[in-house]
Amino acid sequence: MAKKLTDQGWYLGFTGVITFHNARRAVEVAQKMPLDRMVIETDCPYMAPEPHRGVRNDSGFLRYMAQKLAELRGVSLEEMAAITMENGRRLFAIGEMP
């Protein structure tokens, strides 16, 4: 399903679930999908990532999702942060300010 959606131009968002030990399907999808269709999100106030599972989620935890995705894809945290930031800008049509 993820392949069909990304082939149609959709983006897929990853929440704190990607950091859970039992998140096999999310991990499989993240390993195979195109990097230019990947975004991260908080799903606030739910689904805080490990090691903060069970507490209120917020944007301060986005780093954990980016780190996990970076590990899965063999890139640096900085590179994954740049990739997902650019994808978010493109998805939401956020351009540079004049």
Side-chain angles (χ1 to χ4, degrees):
M1 180 188 283
K3 179 162 179 20
K4 286 182 182 182
L5 292 172
T6 56
D7 285 349
Q8 293 175 9
W10 288 53
Y11 291 78
L12 299 180
F14 291 90
T15 66
V17 171
I18 194 69
T19 68
F20 295 178
H21 298 291
N22 62 348
R24 290 184 306 272
R25 290 217 174 164
V27 166
E28 282 180 30
V29 170
Q31 289 172 320
K32 296 177 183 176
M33 70 175 289
L35 286 172
D36 68 342
R37 294 294 166 187
M38 194 179 277
V39 293
I40 53 176
E41 56 182 298
T42 62
D43 196 27
C44 185
Y46 308 106
M47 299 299 183
E50 294 291 346
H52 300 287
R53 195 168 178 182
V55 302
R56 185 181 190 280
N57 199 7
D58 66 45
S59 59
F61 296 150
L62 286 171
R63 178 183 177 279
Y64 295 99
M65 284 79 94
Q67 180 63 50
K68 180 65 176 187
L69 291 171
E71 290 170 11
L72 293 172
R73 297 305 295 261
V75 300
S76 70
L77 171 60
E78 293 76 16
E79 187 175 358
M80 184 56 69
I83 289 167
T84 54
M85 177 69 77
E86 178 56 34
N87 293 346
R89 284 186 179 135
R90 193 172 49 255
L91 173 62
F92 295 108
I94 301 170
E96 294 293 319
M97 298 298 290

